[in-house]
Amino acid sequence: MAKDDEKKESGEWKEFFWNPRTHELLGRTASSWGLILLFYLVFYTFLAGMFCLTMYVMLLTLDDYKPTWQDRLATPGMMIRPKSDPLEIVYNLEKTESWDSYIQALDNFLAPYNDSQQAMKNDACIPDQYFIQEDSGEVRNNPKRSCQFNRTMLGSCSGLEDRTYGYQEGKPCVLIKLNRVIGLQPSKDEKSPYVSCSVEKGQKTAQTNETSAAVEYFPPNGTFNLYFFYIVNYSQPLVAVKFTDLSFNTDFNVECRIKSSSLFKISERDKFAGRVNFKLRINKV
């Protein structure tokens, strides 16, 4: 009986796969398979067409040079170079390997700012005014050019006069950069925004802002010239801060802020909005 049942089940399975009497394959005739395949072909063709149409309409709303939608940041973010996690620059003056990584990071970051590269890619602009390149009617003025930020503007922090950026002599340079914000006009009275840094030793201020002889700024006064802003693809301007009178084996807390006539709001919740804080320590045995 068991063998008969097995033969019966085997015969039923074979008949389900192909029934020679009704000419059905897997329970469907050729016309049934044709109709269902035609349905799925039409259905998925329709879905693919809808997807392509949706993508086409969406792409029509995009600009190759400017985002269609963007957040309106009240204050641009600030960051330092060289950057580490956490934000601190700690090294031993007598151990080259402890500060060599900072030198390498600055060399790599400043390579696009070499004067030859800037002259080839960007324009020499008129200082203290926005470099606005308007469209001519329906003719788009794209891609818009950027203004030159030459590495030599960073003076003794350019790595050209001193290959070690002051780290070897205990007078390190730190680069301050502003994040890009499209359409940002950081001044209402044609005065360029500038960076102001304070250096605190413990709870006591050791050196303060731009009037202190212990802190030098490049370009002078730590300004971000106006012609670097507003357009989309501008070269991010930099300010180099050189700390010239730091005690060895001492922790210093540095805070740099952006100052502008636009009255940027410094948020206590966002520690990188318009300011950046980092630790600086130079050890020496």
Side-chain angles (χ1 to χ4, degrees), residues 154-157 161 169 171-176 195-197 199 207-223 239-245 256:
L154 298 177
S156 61
C157 287
E161 301 175 9
E169 58 179 346
K171 299 178 180 180
C173 292
V174 177
L175 302 181
I176 309 294
V195 169
S196 175
C197 295
V199 186
Q207 299 93 21
T208 57
N209 64 44
E210 68 276 8
T211 63
S212 173
V215 181
E216 295 181 5
Y217 296 91
F218 305 94
N221 302 318
T223 57
V239 166
V241 183
K242 186 169 186 175
F243 302 91
T244 59
D245 188 22
C256 295

Side-chain angles (χ1 to χ4, degrees), residues 98-110:
S98 68
W99 46 267
D100 189 62
S101 60
Y102 298 138
I103 305 306
Q104 187 63 45
L106 289 173
D107 282 340
N108 294 337
F109 181 74
L110 287 177

Side-chain angles (χ1 to χ4, degrees), residues 78-92:
M78 293 183 67
M79 188 45 65
I80 65 169
R81 292 293 186 275
K83 183 183 73 171
S84 61
D85 192 16
L87 288 180
E88 60 180 25
I89 298 175
V90 180
Y91 70 96
N92 191 308

Side-chain angles (χ1 to χ4, degrees), residues 3-243:
K3 291 183 178 180
D4 293 340
D5 291 340
E6 290 178 0
K7 290 180 179 180
K8 184 178 179 180
E9 291 178 359
S10 177
E12 290 177 351
W13 169 251
K14 292 179 179 179
E15 188 173 298
F16 171 75
F17 183 77
W18 170 249
N19 190 327
R21 291 180 293 102
T22 60
H23 296 89
E24 292 180 348
L25 177 66
L26 298 177
R28 290 182 179 276
T29 62
S31 59
S32 178
W33 276 113
L35 289 173
I36 196 169
L37 290 175
L38 178 62
F39 168 78
Y40 279 112
L41 176 63
V42 173
F43 177 69
Y44 285 113
T45 300
F46 173 77
L47 289 182
M50 284 293 295
F51 174 77
C52 293
L53 179 62
T54 303
M55 290 297 296
Y56 174 73
V57 173
M58 184 191 71
L59 291 174
L60 288 178
T61 66
L62 300 182
D63 192 308
D64 291 336
Y65 303 98
K66 182 178 180 181
T68 304
W69 305 103
Q70 53 184 309
D71 295 332
R72 301 307 302 168
L73 299 177
T75 305
M78 293 183 67
M79 188 45 65
I80 65 169
R81 292 293 186 275
K83 183 183 73 171
S84 61
D85 192 16
L87 288 180
E88 60 180 25
I89 298 175
V90 180
Y91 70 96
N92 191 308
L93 190 67
E94 299 174 349
K95 295 182 179 180
T96 305
E97 64 275 10
S98 68
W99 46 267
D100 189 62
S101 60
Y102 298 138
I103 305 306
Q104 187 63 45
L106 289 173
D107 282 340
N108 294 337
F109 181 74
L110 287 177
Y113 291 91
N114 288 333
D115 290 17
S116 58
Q117 293 289 325
Q118 289 291 310
M120 182 171 56
K121 295 179 180 179
N122 302 325
D123 295 342
C125 301
I126 301 174
D128 302 321
Q129 67 181 40
Y130 294 113
F131 185 46
I132 300 176
Q133 302 160 71
E134 300 289 355
D135 297 332
S136 178
E138 296 182 356
V139 179
R140 302 289 300 278
N141 186 13
N142 286 317
K144 291 180 170 57
R145 298 278 290 176
S146 180
C147 294
Q148 296 180 19
F149 186 96
N150 295 317
R151 187 170 178 174
T152 50
M153 297 170 64
L154 298 177
S156 61
C157 287
S158 65
L160 302 175
E161 301 175 9
D162 176 9
R163 191 194 66 81
T164 67
Y165 300 91
Y167 283 77
Q168 187 174 30
E169 58 179 346
K171 299 178 180 180
C173 292
V174 177
L175 302 181
I176 309 294
K177 75 179 188 70
L178 280 179
N179 293 339
R180 289 186 179 92
V181 177
I182 298 172
L184 174 66
Q185 296 189 23
S187 176
K188 296 179 179 179
D189 54 8
E190 297 185 355
K191 291 184 179 180
S192 298
Y194 64 94
V195 169
S196 175
C197 295
S198 63
V199 186
E200 294 185 356
K201 177 182 177 182
Q203 299 299 320
K204 182 180 179 181
T205 301
Q207 299 93 21
T208 57
N209 64 44
E210 68 276 8
T211 63
S212 173
V215 181
E216 295 181 5
Y217 296 91
F218 305 94
N221 302 318
T223 57
F224 292 110
N225 204 287
L226 293 180
Y227 56 57
F228 292 114
F229 298 95
Y230 191 77
I231 61 176
V232 178
N233 63 333
Y234 63 86
S235 294
Q236 286 179 277
L238 307 172
V239 166
V241 183
K242 186 169 186 175
F243 302 91

